[in-house]
Amino acid sequence: VIALDMLKSVLLFWIGTVIVVATGLASNPDIWLGGILLPWCAVVMCAIGHCYSIYLKGQGGKAVSCYLGAAAFTSWLNFIVCVIVFFPMFLPKKVMSISTIVTGAFVTLTHWVVAILIRFVPASIGFFSIASWSFGGFPVSFFFNFIYFFFTCFYIP
C-alpha cells in the first residue's frame, strides 16, 4: 500500500515535468517560474487528496508516503538517503511512524544542503544536474531549487 501511495505522487510529478518540458513552459521564466512550480504543486495536491480522501469521507492517510515517494523517486541522491536512514531504523523494531519522520527530516535536510550548494557554489551544478533520475535530461531546477526547498519545509512530517 505504501508503494502505491508513493507511486501516485511520483507519477504526478513526472507527468507534470513532461508537460512543462513538452509545452515549452520551461523556456519561459515568467510562467510558473519557468514551469518548476507545476510538478511540485501536483505532488502537494496529491498529498492533500491522500490526507482528505473523498472516498474515505475525509479520512485518509498521512502525507509522508507521498512526500518520500516524490523525494526518493525524483533524485537518486534522495533515494539513497531514504534507504540509508529508513531501513536501519525500521527493520529492528518495525515502528513505521518514527522511521518515516526521521527519514523525512533527513531527506529535507539533504535537499536544503543541495539547494544552498547550487545557489551559492555554481561549480556544484554540474554534479547535481545528473543527480536526478533523468540524469541531466531535464533542467536541474526541476529537482533541486528553492521551490522544492519551500515544499520540503511545508511537508515535514
Side-chain angles (χ1 to χ4, degrees):
V1 171
I2 291 172
L4 291 175
D5 290 342
M6 294 170 88
L7 184 63
K8 65 183 170 186
S9 66
V10 173
L11 286 175
L12 283 175
F13 177 86
W14 283 106
I15 289 170
T17 302
V18 168
I19 288 170
V20 167
V21 171
T23 60
L25 284 175
S27 62
N28 188 347
D30 296 330
I31 301 174
W32 287 68
L33 299 173
I36 296 167
L37 197 55
L38 182 66
W40 293 113
C41 283
V43 172
V44 169
M45 293 299 113
C46 177
I48 291 171
H50 183 78
C51 291
Y52 303 103
S53 173
I54 61 172
Y55 302 110
L56 300 175
K57 298 185 179 165
Q59 305 236 358
K62 294 182 180 177
V64 70
S65 59
C66 293
Y67 163 66
L68 290 178
F73 293 102
T74 55
S75 165
W76 56 263
L77 183 64
N78 285 338
F79 182 80
I80 291 170
V81 171
C82 284
V83 170
I84 289 173
V85 175
F86 179 79
F87 287 110
M89 291 188 69
F90 177 72
L91 292 177
K93 297 197 180 208
K94 306 285 191 253
V95 178
M96 181 65 83
S97 59
I98 193 71
S99 302
T100 55
I101 289 169
V102 172
T103 303
F106 268 91
V107 169
T108 300
L109 181 65
T110 301
H111 227 290
W112 289 356
V113 169
V114 171
I116 290 168
L117 281 174
I118 285 176
R119 176 73 173 112
F120 297 109
V121 182
S124 65
I125 292 175
F127 170 75
F128 291 116
S129 68
I130 61 166
S132 70
W133 289 111
S134 71
F135 298 102
F138 292 124
V140 69
S141 56
F142 280 114
F143 309 103
F144 302 104
N145 56 45
F146 282 97
I147 300 299
Y148 186 74
F149 186 82
F150 166 76
F151 282 122
T152 56
C153 290
F154 175 70
Y155 255 136
I156 291 180

